Amino acid sequence: MLTPIQVGHFDYLFAMPFLDVIGVCVVLTVPVLTVLLLPLRPPAVLVVYTLCSYLMVMTTQQIFGNVSRYLLPLFPLFVPLALAMRRLNWPSLAALLGTAALASGSYAGYVLFGLGVP
């Protein structure tokens, strides 16, 4: 049997498990994308910018659900994804981008209507 210590609990004040799960996924994806970026040999300025921005976000105290929003300026990490997507055929690319648009819209709706306007 799992205890609340092992899996956490959501009965604390301002519990936002949906935002926390998205934040954890983004935080775990950034190092993977960084490893995929380095073999492409981008300019050193972009690598330093990416690493410093990531460290700055991860070392500050903040609401963890906002981490995914604060990591949006790490645009160099999208280069490996863009190179991988250019190999896809049109139906696969349309399905992938359509799914991403639906996920983005559902998240925006959740934040606006589920959490309320701050």
Side-chain angles (χ1 to χ4, degrees):
M1 171 133 182
L2 296 174
T3 64
I5 294 173
Q6 292 169 325
V7 295
H9 54 84
F10 298 117
D11 58 347
Y12 55 90
L13 189 61
F14 303 119
M16 294 181 260
F18 187 66
L19 294 176
D20 291 343
V21 167
I22 290 173
V24 167
C25 290
V26 169
V27 166
L28 294 177
T29 303
V30 167
V32 172
L33 290 175
T34 304
V35 169
L36 292 174
L37 177 69
L38 293 177
L40 299 175
R41 301 186 48 85
V45 173
L46 288 180
V47 175
V48 171
Y49 166 77
T50 302
L51 293 176
C52 288
S53 297
Y54 181 67
L55 290 175
M56 185 174 58
V57 169
M58 296 310 297
T59 57
T60 58
Q61 293 182 351
Q62 60 197 342
I63 298 172
F64 190 71
N66 291 334
V67 167
S68 58
R69 182 179 65 181
Y70 297 146
L71 290 176
L72 278 177
L74 298 180
F75 65 90
L77 296 179
F78 293 118
V79 172
L81 294 177
L83 291 175
M85 284 182 5
R86 92 177 161 180
R87 293 185 212 123
L88 295 176
N89 56 12
W90 282 104
S92 300
L93 187 61
L96 178 68
L97 293 177
T99 303
L102 286 174
S104 176
S106 67
Y107 179 69
Y110 170 75
V111 169
L112 185 60
F113 300 114
L115 297 177
V117 178

